[in-house]
Short mmCIF file of all heavy atoms in Angstrom, two decimals:
data_model
loop_
_atom_site.label_atom_id
_atom_site.label_comp_id
_atom_site.label_asym_id
_atom_site.label_seq_id
_atom_site.Cartn_x
_atom_site.Cartn_y
_atom_site.Cartn_z
N ASP E 28 17.18 10.25 1.55
CA ASP E 28 18.57 9.77 1.45
C ASP E 28 19.52 10.86 0.98
O ASP E 28 20.69 10.88 1.34
CB ASP E 28 18.63 8.57 0.49
CG ASP E 28 18.18 7.30 1.18
OD1 ASP E 28 18.12 7.32 2.43
OD2 ASP E 28 17.86 6.32 0.49
N LYS E 29 18.99 11.77 0.15
CA LYS E 29 19.84 12.85 -0.37
C LYS E 29 20.31 13.79 0.72
O LYS E 29 21.32 14.47 0.58
CB LYS E 29 19.06 13.64 -1.42
CG LYS E 29 18.79 12.82 -2.63
CD LYS E 29 18.71 13.67 -3.86
CE LYS E 29 18.72 12.73 -5.05
NZ LYS E 29 17.86 13.13 -6.10
N ILE E 30 19.50 13.91 1.77
CA ILE E 30 19.90 14.87 2.80
C ILE E 30 20.37 14.18 4.08
O ILE E 30 20.61 14.82 5.09
CB ILE E 30 18.76 15.86 3.13
CG1 ILE E 30 17.49 15.11 3.49
CG2 ILE E 30 18.54 16.84 2.00
CD1 ILE E 30 16.42 16.02 4.07
N ARG E 31 20.53 12.88 3.95
CA ARG E 31 20.99 12.14 5.12
C ARG E 31 22.35 12.69 5.59
O ARG E 31 23.21 12.99 4.78
CB ARG E 31 21.10 10.66 4.77
CG ARG E 31 21.10 9.73 5.96
CD ARG E 31 20.99 8.30 5.53
NE ARG E 31 19.63 7.91 5.15
CZ ARG E 31 18.66 7.65 6.01
NH1 ARG E 31 18.87 7.75 7.31
NH2 ARG E 31 17.47 7.30 5.59
N TYR E 32 22.48 12.83 6.83
CA TYR E 32 23.72 13.32 7.49
C TYR E 32 24.06 14.77 7.21
O TYR E 32 25.12 15.25 7.56
CB TYR E 32 24.92 12.42 7.14
CG TYR E 32 24.62 10.97 7.42
CD1 TYR E 32 24.69 10.01 6.42
CD2 TYR E 32 24.20 10.57 8.71
CE1 TYR E 32 24.37 8.69 6.66
CE2 TYR E 32 23.87 9.25 8.95
CZ TYR E 32 23.95 8.31 7.92
OH TYR E 32 23.62 7.02 8.17
N LYS E 33 23.15 15.47 6.53
CA LYS E 33 23.41 16.91 6.38
C LYS E 33 22.81 17.62 7.58
O LYS E 33 21.74 17.24 8.04
CB LYS E 33 22.74 17.44 5.11
CG LYS E 33 23.52 17.13 3.86
CD LYS E 33 22.92 17.92 2.71
CE LYS E 33 23.64 17.53 1.41
NZ LYS E 33 23.01 18.10 0.26
N GLU E 34 23.47 18.66 8.02
CA GLU E 34 22.89 19.44 9.12
C GLU E 34 21.80 20.34 8.56
O GLU E 34 21.84 20.73 7.39
CB GLU E 34 23.97 20.30 9.77
CG GLU E 34 25.09 19.47 10.33
CD GLU E 34 25.17 19.56 11.84
OE1 GLU E 34 25.00 20.67 12.35
OE2 GLU E 34 25.38 18.52 12.48
N ILE E 35 20.84 20.65 9.39
CA ILE E 35 19.74 21.48 8.91
C ILE E 35 20.22 22.88 8.60
O ILE E 35 20.85 23.52 9.42
CB ILE E 35 18.68 21.68 10.00
CG1 ILE E 35 18.16 20.36 10.50
CG2 ILE E 35 17.54 22.56 9.52
CD1 ILE E 35 17.46 20.53 11.80
N ASP E 36 19.93 23.34 7.44
CA ASP E 36 19.97 24.79 7.21
C ASP E 36 19.02 25.09 6.07
O ASP E 36 18.54 24.19 5.37
CB ASP E 36 21.38 25.30 6.93
CG ASP E 36 22.00 24.61 5.74
OD1 ASP E 36 21.23 24.06 4.94
OD2 ASP E 36 23.22 24.63 5.60
N LEU E 37 18.72 26.33 5.91
CA LEU E 37 17.73 26.68 4.90
C LEU E 37 18.22 26.42 3.51
O LEU E 37 17.45 26.13 2.60
CB LEU E 37 17.32 28.14 5.05
CG LEU E 37 16.18 28.31 6.03
CD1 LEU E 37 15.85 29.77 6.23
CD2 LEU E 37 14.94 27.57 5.52
N LYS E 38 19.53 26.52 3.35
CA LYS E 38 20.10 26.27 2.03
C LYS E 38 19.77 24.83 1.60
O LYS E 38 19.36 24.59 0.48
CB LYS E 38 21.62 26.49 2.08
CG LYS E 38 22.25 26.63 0.74
CD LYS E 38 23.68 27.14 0.86
CE LYS E 38 24.52 26.63 -0.29
NZ LYS E 38 24.97 25.24 -0.14
N THR E 39 19.92 23.91 2.53
CA THR E 39 19.59 22.52 2.24
C THR E 39 18.14 22.42 1.81
O THR E 39 17.79 21.74 0.86
CB THR E 39 19.76 21.66 3.52
OG1 THR E 39 20.99 21.98 4.11
CG2 THR E 39 19.67 20.19 3.21
N PHE E 40 17.29 23.13 2.54
CA PHE E 40 15.87 23.06 2.24
C PHE E 40 15.56 23.64 0.87
O PHE E 40 14.80 23.07 0.10
CB PHE E 40 15.06 23.77 3.32
CG PHE E 40 13.58 23.59 3.10
CD1 PHE E 40 12.96 22.40 3.43
CD2 PHE E 40 12.83 24.58 2.51
CE1 PHE E 40 11.61 22.20 3.20
CE2 PHE E 40 11.48 24.40 2.27
CZ PHE E 40 10.87 23.20 2.62
N GLU E 41 16.19 24.78 0.58
CA GLU E 41 15.93 25.41 -0.73
C GLU E 41 16.34 24.50 -1.87
O GLU E 41 15.66 24.40 -2.88
CB GLU E 41 16.68 26.75 -0.83
CG GLU E 41 16.07 27.86 0.03
CD GLU E 41 14.65 28.23 -0.40
OE1 GLU E 41 14.35 28.17 -1.60
OE2 GLU E 41 13.84 28.56 0.49
N GLU E 42 17.47 23.81 -1.67
CA GLU E 42 17.94 22.88 -2.70
C GLU E 42 16.92 21.76 -2.92
O GLU E 42 16.75 21.24 -4.01
CB GLU E 42 19.28 22.26 -2.29
CG GLU E 42 20.45 23.20 -2.46
CD GLU E 42 21.69 22.70 -1.73
OE1 GLU E 42 21.72 21.53 -1.29
OE2 GLU E 42 22.63 23.50 -1.58
N LEU E 43 16.27 21.44 -1.83
CA LEU E 43 15.38 20.30 -1.84
C LEU E 43 13.98 20.63 -2.35
O LEU E 43 13.23 19.75 -2.77
CB LEU E 43 15.27 19.83 -0.39
CG LEU E 43 14.88 18.40 -0.16
CD1 LEU E 43 15.97 17.48 -0.66
CD2 LEU E 43 14.61 18.18 1.32
N LYS E 44 13.68 21.90 -2.32
CA LYS E 44 12.31 22.35 -2.54
C LYS E 44 11.69 21.84 -3.85
O LYS E 44 10.61 21.26 -3.84
CB LYS E 44 12.29 23.88 -2.51
CG LYS E 44 10.96 24.45 -2.15
CD LYS E 44 11.02 25.95 -2.05
CE LYS E 44 11.15 26.57 -3.42
NZ LYS E 44 11.22 28.03 -3.38
N ASP E 45 12.40 22.07 -4.93
CA ASP E 45 11.84 21.69 -6.23
C ASP E 45 11.65 20.19 -6.34
O ASP E 45 10.67 19.71 -6.90
CB ASP E 45 12.75 22.17 -7.36
CG ASP E 45 12.70 23.68 -7.48
OD1 ASP E 45 11.74 24.27 -6.95
OD2 ASP E 45 13.63 24.26 -8.08
N GLU E 46 12.61 19.51 -5.77
CA GLU E 46 12.53 18.05 -5.83
C GLU E 46 11.34 17.54 -5.03
O GLU E 46 10.62 16.63 -5.45
CB GLU E 46 13.82 17.47 -5.25
CG GLU E 46 14.08 16.10 -5.78
CD GLU E 46 15.48 15.64 -5.50
OE1 GLU E 46 16.39 16.49 -5.34
OE2 GLU E 46 15.67 14.43 -5.43
N LEU E 47 11.11 18.15 -3.91
CA LEU E 47 9.99 17.76 -3.05
C LEU E 47 8.66 18.06 -3.74
O LEU E 47 7.74 17.26 -3.71
CB LEU E 47 10.10 18.53 -1.72
CG LEU E 47 9.24 18.05 -0.56
CD1 LEU E 47 9.50 16.59 -0.25
CD2 LEU E 47 9.54 18.90 0.68
N LEU E 48 8.62 19.22 -4.39
CA LEU E 48 7.41 19.62 -5.11
C LEU E 48 7.09 18.59 -6.21
O LEU E 48 5.96 18.12 -6.32
CB LEU E 48 7.60 21.01 -5.71
CG LEU E 48 6.35 21.64 -6.32
CD1 LEU E 48 5.39 22.10 -5.24
CD2 LEU E 48 6.73 22.83 -7.18
N LEU E 49 8.10 18.27 -6.96
CA LEU E 49 7.92 17.30 -8.05
C LEU E 49 7.49 15.94 -7.51
O LEU E 49 6.58 15.30 -8.02
CB LEU E 49 9.24 17.17 -8.83
CG LEU E 49 9.15 16.40 -10.13
CD1 LEU E 49 8.29 17.14 -11.13
CD2 LEU E 49 10.54 16.17 -10.70
N PHE E 50 8.12 15.55 -6.42
CA PHE E 50 7.79 14.26 -5.81
C PHE E 50 6.32 14.22 -5.38
O PHE E 50 5.60 13.26 -5.66
CB PHE E 50 8.70 14.03 -4.60
CG PHE E 50 8.13 13.09 -3.58
CD1 PHE E 50 8.07 11.73 -3.83
CD2 PHE E 50 7.64 13.56 -2.37
CE1 PHE E 50 7.51 10.86 -2.90
CE2 PHE E 50 7.09 12.71 -1.43
CZ PHE E 50 7.02 11.34 -1.70
#
Side-chain angles (χ1 to χ4, degrees):
D28 280 344
K29 293 209 169 142
I30 54 170
R31 200 171 282 283
Y32 308 122
K33 281 191 184 172
E34 300 246 319
I35 303 163
D36 58 20
L37 272 176
K38 196 167 151 281
T39 313
F40 186 77
E41 287 297 327
E42 284 166 12
L43 203 66
K44 204 176 72 180
D45 290 342
E46 204 166 335
L47 195 56
L48 188 74
L49 190 66
F50 156 73

